Amino acid sequence: MTSKIAVDLIVFDLDGTLADTLPDLTAAANFACRRLGLPEHSPEAVRGMIGGGERKLIERTVGPAHQDRVEECLQLYLDHYTRHNGELTRLYPGVAETLALVSGKKLAALSNKLQRLTQQTLEAMDIARFFAAIRGGGTGLPLKPEPDALLSLAADLGVGPSRSLMVGDKIADIRAGQEAGAFTAAVTYGYGDLDALTAASPNFLLGQFSQLPGILAA
């Protein structure tokens, strides 16, 4: 583990890092499944399907035997999620207060969730105002774990990767940060597997979001 780091930019994943979006994701996925007569899933099952964007989630939701229903299911999912985004989602403890504490740095959000849904979720949680940039999927750049979106974000904000920190709950976040040459912090309360996160060797493991200021040099 690294001691305190000096950075100018902190980039945050959204789902499982800033907010517990699982209840809204589960509601939308099960709505789509119900409409198509497909089996519904428990929140715990959906939790294991998150990662890689909406299409990957729906491919996992419908299962190997129903891949021909992915397009139909994805549209139903997106329609429902767009209408109800934020209704069941909650910030993790200390997120708003901690973002305010570190707001002397440049802050950004980088999600594999579609750009418009990322923006919508952050606005619904009343934290969009903290971010100098908000990036999601569907913008033409590869999703995490590829580093392209993170590198683009840092360049747009005028910060070198070595002065940046990527914070997330999944291996994809850590890999993206590492590939970009940024520092990495894995939060252990989200949707990632603790053993896998530890094995990915992030610079920091955070059990609570409020621990973030403690790893930053003044």
Side-chain angles (χ1 to χ4, degrees):
M1 291 290 156
T2 312
S3 58
K4 292 194 176 191
I5 55 171
V7 296
D8 303 312
L9 170 65
I10 309 174
V11 182
F12 299 94
D13 173 53
L14 171 52
D15 303 67
T17 300
L18 296 172
D20 181 10
T21 56
L22 181 59
D24 276 325
L25 299 179
T26 302
N30 282 338
F31 167 81
C33 286
R34 271 196 310 279
R35 288 286 297 271
L36 297 179
L38 298 174
E40 295 183 42
H41 300 280
S42 68
E44 197 53 42
V46 175
R47 185 177 188 265
M49 299 174 188
I50 295 170
E54 288 83 0
R55 178 174 292 278
K56 287 289 184 194
L57 172 63
I58 296 304
E59 286 174 0
R60 296 168 186 139
T61 299
V62 300
H66 300 287
Q67 290 298 298
D68 58 324
R69 312 298 295 276
V70 167
E71 288 301 332
E72 211 178 348
C73 193
L74 179 60
Q75 199 51 58
L76 287 166
Y77 168 86
L78 290 173
D79 288 349
H80 186 282
Y81 193 71
T82 300
R83 287 199 312 273
H84 299 282
N85 188 2
E87 289 180 8
L88 303 174
T89 292
R90 298 291 178 266
L91 292 178
Y92 286 108
V95 165
E97 299 86 345
T98 304
L99 290 175
L101 278 175
V102 299
S103 60
K105 313 277 186 190
K106 289 182 179 177
L107 307 181
L110 176 61
S111 178
N112 283 347
K113 185 194 295 288
L114 283 171
Q115 171 88 31
R116 64 179 178 83
L117 297 177
T118 299
Q119 182 82 35
Q120 185 187 30
T121 304
L122 294 171
E123 286 174 0
M125 296 298 101
D126 194 29
I127 57 171
R129 57 200 160 91
F130 288 111
F131 301 111
I134 295 171
R135 299 285 172 83
T139 55
L141 291 173
L143 299 177
K144 299 174 290 184
E146 298 302 321
D148 307 54
L150 178 56
L151 288 167
S152 170
L153 186 58
D156 287 352
L157 293 175
V159 180
S162 65
R163 298 283 299 184
S164 303
L165 169 65
M166 179 73 219
V167 182
D169 69 314
K170 289 275 199 167
I171 293 176
D173 301 305
I174 306 310
R175 291 272 179 264
Q178 291 169 335
E179 290 290 321
F183 290 104
T184 55
V187 300
T188 61
Y189 53 76
Y191 307 145
D193 175 75
L194 178 57
D195 291 339
L197 281 174
T198 304
S201 301
N203 298 107
F204 303 94
L205 286 170
L206 304 178
Q208 299 174 15
F209 194 84
S210 57
Q211 293 174 298
L212 177 64
I215 69 173
L216 304 174

